[in-house]
Amino acid sequence: MAELPTSASVVIIGGGVMGLSTAYHLARAGVADVVLVERDTLGSGSTCKAAGGVRAQFSDPVNILLGQRSLRAYERFAVELGQELDLQRSGYLFLLDDPDHVAAFEDNVALQTSLGVPSRMISPAEAKALSPMVELDGILAAAWSPEDGHCTPESVVLGYAGGARRAGARIVQHCAVTGIDVVDGQVRGVLTEAGPIATDTVVCAAGAWSRAVGEMVGVELPVEPVRRQILTTEPMPGLDPATPFTIDFATSLYFHLEGPGLLLGMSDPDERPGFELGRTDAWLPRLGEAIERRVPALADVGIASGWAGLYEMTPDHNALVGEADGVSRFLYATGFSGHGFLMGPAIGEVLRDLVLGRTPPVDVAGLSVDRFGSGVRPELNIV
Ligand SMILES: Cc1cc2nc3c(=O)[nH]c(=O)nc-3n(C[C@H](O)[C@H](O)[C@H](O)COP(=O)(O)OP(=O)(O)OC[C@H]3O[C@@H](n4cnc5c(N)ncnc54)[C@H](O)[C@@H]3O)c2cc1C
């Protein structure tokens, strides 16, 4: 563990994509004495468990803008941060077999294109031409955006960590935050396993563990951990290198190219909230059925490896981003409900501006934790 600083202008709790992007953007803006504290190693939470999908195809304007701005940042990342990302702009293809889903995606595409996203509805035959392994049984239409894609989470972690350090931020690993000292409604410091850090500003970027951090200052952050699993296949000779990130929306089965094979995943509706991270077989029969129907060519391919990670779910599947009212100053960026990797760059800029009292590049007022009870509509386009 690096030596613990005794004071900081801002303490960021959590060394995933959100915390690291925030540290980088704050330090690059000239903020001195930024300290990020991670209880394990950088990226060890959900970030390095992500499938790496990056997209702007959402149903909510704020999510579209955050996704779009982050795509631009991931395009520049290798040059700006000196770290290759293996960014594959192979597009995202949503396969739709339910008339209600088709109608909803038509509305989403209209909204996305009004905001400059080059998405469009395409026919089943066009979808098959883009993703040749899919079986079209029951498919009515598909939504497609060629600018979406996927990249490598570990590289994003390395890039932002290096960039943040070069700009002067301090990163302390293997050091859990155990409490936050608040006096008369003002943050005075952060308590860690290795000792206290005096500060008046805390950013919670603790992912699936954020509820406990919010409790340290009496702020309820409604984030629930839910396990998700991923498998990678043995090499599959003859794979089309242009294969998009393909999603069978009704079952949530998805796959994309990963080295010489595929990475695939699917949600498990029986999974209950909890911090359990062991791999289980309970989801495999349902996964097998979805594969048999939609990608039968995959049924006989060997599995090379797999892992489990945590989605950080909120009641409406939208993120929580903002500054708490009741305590000064406690900011939060969490609850990305399974699509935080793709929003990390833009959220780092937003947090920088909220800390500095500037107007952020995307208006995130609707993502305040105060929204619950006000009947906001949920993000529908999560996988
Ligand atoms: C299987 C899977 C697939 C996914 N696929 C995608 C995808 O394709 N695209 C996409 O956009 N998103 C995807 N996601 C979601 C994405 O991984 C998350 O939304 C994102 O990584 C959240 O980043 P974060 O920085 O908020 O949290 P995390 O990466 O979880 O970081 C939080 C960190 O806080 C630390 N921490 C917690 N409490 C404390 C404490 N008290 N003191 C110090 N440190 C603490 C943790 O150790 C952790 O490292 C996927 C997630 C999973 C599980």
Side-chain angles (χ1 to χ4, degrees):
M1 188 184 76
E3 197 185 328
L4 193 75
T6 53
S7 66
S9 57
V10 183
V11 173
I12 299 164
I13 304 175
V17 67
M18 295 305 160
L20 288 165
S21 170
T22 303
Y24 169 70
H25 285 102
L26 277 170
R28 273 293 300 267
V31 179
D33 300 325
V34 173
V35 174
L36 181 150
V37 185
E38 162 58 49
R39 73 166 162 217
D40 196 332
T41 53
L42 300 179
S44 61
S46 299
T47 297
C48 288
K49 307 287 172 37
V54 290
R55 63 175 161 120
Q57 285 191 78
F58 284 96
S59 69
D60 176 280
V62 177
N63 291 337
I64 295 168
L65 293 172
L66 290 170
Q68 199 180 28
R69 194 170 175 89
S70 296
L71 276 170
R72 299 283 96 82
Y74 280 142
E75 267 167 23
R76 299 189 307 270
F77 199 91
V79 172
E80 187 177 320
L81 286 135
Q83 178 71 46
E84 271 304 331
L85 286 184
D86 195 23
L87 176 61
Q88 309 287 322
R89 305 306 288 275
S90 48
Y92 249 73
L93 179 69
F94 287 91
L95 303 167
L96 308 168
D97 67 359
D98 176 324
D100 290 342
H101 292 160
V102 174
F105 271 75
E106 283 170 349
D107 290 349
N108 297 346
V109 163
L111 178 64
Q112 291 154 16
T113 52
S114 76
L115 294 169
V117 176
S119 55
R120 61 193 171 91
M121 298 300 290
I122 60 173
S123 69
E126 286 174 280
K128 173 94 180 163
L130 287 165
S131 193
M133 277 188 302
V134 301
E135 193 53 58
L136 290 178
D137 179 27
I139 294 298
L140 302 172
W144 159 247
S145 184
E147 289 198 349
D148 296 341
H150 54 95
C151 61
T152 306
E154 288 81 356
S155 300
V156 171
V157 167
L158 282 174
Y160 276 141
R165 285 188 178 112
R166 285 192 297 277
R170 302 274 302 271
I171 296 177
V172 183
Q173 299 183 75
H174 303 291
C175 179
V177 170
T178 53
I180 298 174
D181 189 19
V182 179
V183 179
D184 296 334
Q186 310 274 330
V187 168
R188 293 283 173 85
V190 163
L191 311 174
T192 80
E193 287 175 328
I197 307 173
T199 188
D200 58 11
T201 305
V202 169
V203 175
C204 169
W209 300 269
S210 294
R211 185 187 285 272
V213 173
E215 283 168 0
M216 294 175 187
V217 290
V219 171
E220 190 189 348
L221 296 174
V223 177
E224 273 193 337
V226 179
R227 174 172 50 187
R228 283 295 186 100
Q229 299 189 69
I230 278 181
L231 299 174
T232 59
T233 71
E234 299 283 2
M236 295 175 64
L239 276 179
D240 181 346
T243 301
F245 195 127
T246 305
I247 297 143
D248 183 40
F249 190 66
T251 60
S252 83
L253 168 68
Y254 66 84
F255 62 86
H256 70 64
L257 295 184
E258 182 81 354
L262 293 179
L263 175 154
L264 56 115
M266 197 171 97
S267 65
D268 177 359
D270 292 335
E271 188 72 54
R272 302 274 61 89
F275 288 102
E276 179 55 55
L277 269 173
R279 285 173 64 188
T280 68
D281 292 344
W283 68 307
L284 294 180
R286 213 181 253 123
L287 176 72
E289 273 171 39
I291 286 174
E292 282 288 348
R293 175 159 187 234
R294 194 55 71 212
V295 214
L298 261 181
D300 297 325
V301 177
I303 296 304
S305 71
W307 61 86
L310 296 174
Y311 268 25
E312 66 294 45
M313 302 303 291
T314 64
D316 62 6
H317 306 161
N318 275 311
L320 308 173
V321 184
E323 178 163 2
D325 273 344
V327 55
S328 176
R329 303 191 69 194
F330 179 79
L331 298 96
Y332 51 86
T334 182
F336 290 87
S337 303
H339 46 264
F341 175 66
L342 65 91
M343 293 184 178
I347 293 293
E349 294 181 283
V350 165
L351 261 285
R352 171 200 63 203
D353 291 341
L354 292 180
V355 167
L356 293 175
R358 299 178 184 162
T359 304
V362 177
D363 181 0
V364 294
L367 299 181
S368 159
V369 71
D370 300 338
R371 71 181 178 269
F372 294 105
S374 65
V376 285
R377 74 189 268 288
E379 171 57 55
L380 304 171
N381 205 353
I382 72 156
V383 181

